[in-house]
Amino acid sequence: MNLLIAVVQDQDVNRLLTALLEKGYRATKLASTGGFLRQGNTTLLIGVKEEEVKEVNAIIKEICRTRKGLVSPMPALDQTLNTYIPTPIEVEVGGATVFTLKVESFEKM
Ligand code: 2BA
C-alpha cells in the first residue's frame, strides 16, 4: 500500500476527483495553504496499491495545469514602509506536487 499526498490547485480538484473516482480510486480532500504564496490550495490523500501508483500519477499529470501566480516580496528590514513600492513577482504554480509514501499498515475498522 502507498499513500500519495498530492498538493493541487483548487481549480483542478473537481475534475481530478471525478477522474479518480471514475477509475475506482478513493481520496480524501483537505483544504491547505501554500507556504510561499499564502494562497489556498488542496491536498489530496490517495491510498493506492503499489501497482496503481503509476496510473494515479498519470491521471494527476493529465489534469493538473500549470498556472502563473503572483507574490509580493516583503520590504527589506532597513526599508521604511513609506518608500516601499511592492513589485509583484510572477511564479509558475503546478501542475501538482506529489509525494509517494510507503504505508506500513492499512486497516479499516
Ligand atoms: P506555495 O508554497 O504557495 O508555492 C507556490 C509556487 O511558488 C511554487 O509552485 C513555486 O513555483 C513557487 N515557490 C515556492 N517556494 C518558492 C521559493 N522558496 N522561491 C521561489 N519560488 C518558490 P509549486 O512548486 O508548483 O508548488 C505548489 C504548492 O505545492 C506550494 O504552494 C506548496 O503548497 C506545495 N509544495 C510544493 N513543494 C512542496 C514541498 N517540497 N513540501 C511541501 N509542499 C510543497
Side-chain angles (χ1 to χ4, degrees):
M1 190 74 174
N2 286 258
L3 179 66
L4 302 187
I5 301 177
V7 184
V8 303
Q9 294 172 75
D10 292 344
Q11 298 94 312
D12 295 323
V13 172
N14 282 337
R15 281 191 326 122
L16 180 55
L17 282 174
T18 302
L20 290 171
L21 294 175
E22 270 173 8
K23 295 266 182 181
Y25 295 113
R26 296 173 179 216
T28 296
K29 176 177 175 259
L30 306 172
S32 47
T33 303
F36 190 66
L37 294 180
R38 314 285 162 97
Q39 286 170 7
N41 54 26
T42 298
T43 300
L44 295 181
L45 305 181
I46 312 163
V48 292
K49 295 179 195 141
E50 181 81 40
E51 60 271 24
E52 295 170 332
V53 170
K54 219 171 161 184
E55 183 179 42
V56 171
N57 272 316
I59 295 170
I60 295 171
K61 198 169 181 183
E62 188 190 318
I63 289 182
C64 294
R65 301 264 175 270
T66 300
R67 297 187 181 84
K68 306 273 182 212
L70 288 176
V71 61
S72 293
M74 296 298 286
L77 283 176
D78 58 354
Q79 195 172 14
T80 65
L81 285 176
N82 301 342
T83 58
Y84 175 63
I85 302 166
T87 314
I89 298 169
E90 199 172 70
V91 291
E92 202 163 81
V93 187
T97 302
V98 183
F99 303 87
T100 305
L101 286 68
K102 295 263 178 258
V103 174
E104 203 174 288
S105 144
F106 167 70
E107 285 177 60
K108 292 179 101 177
M109 303 185 194

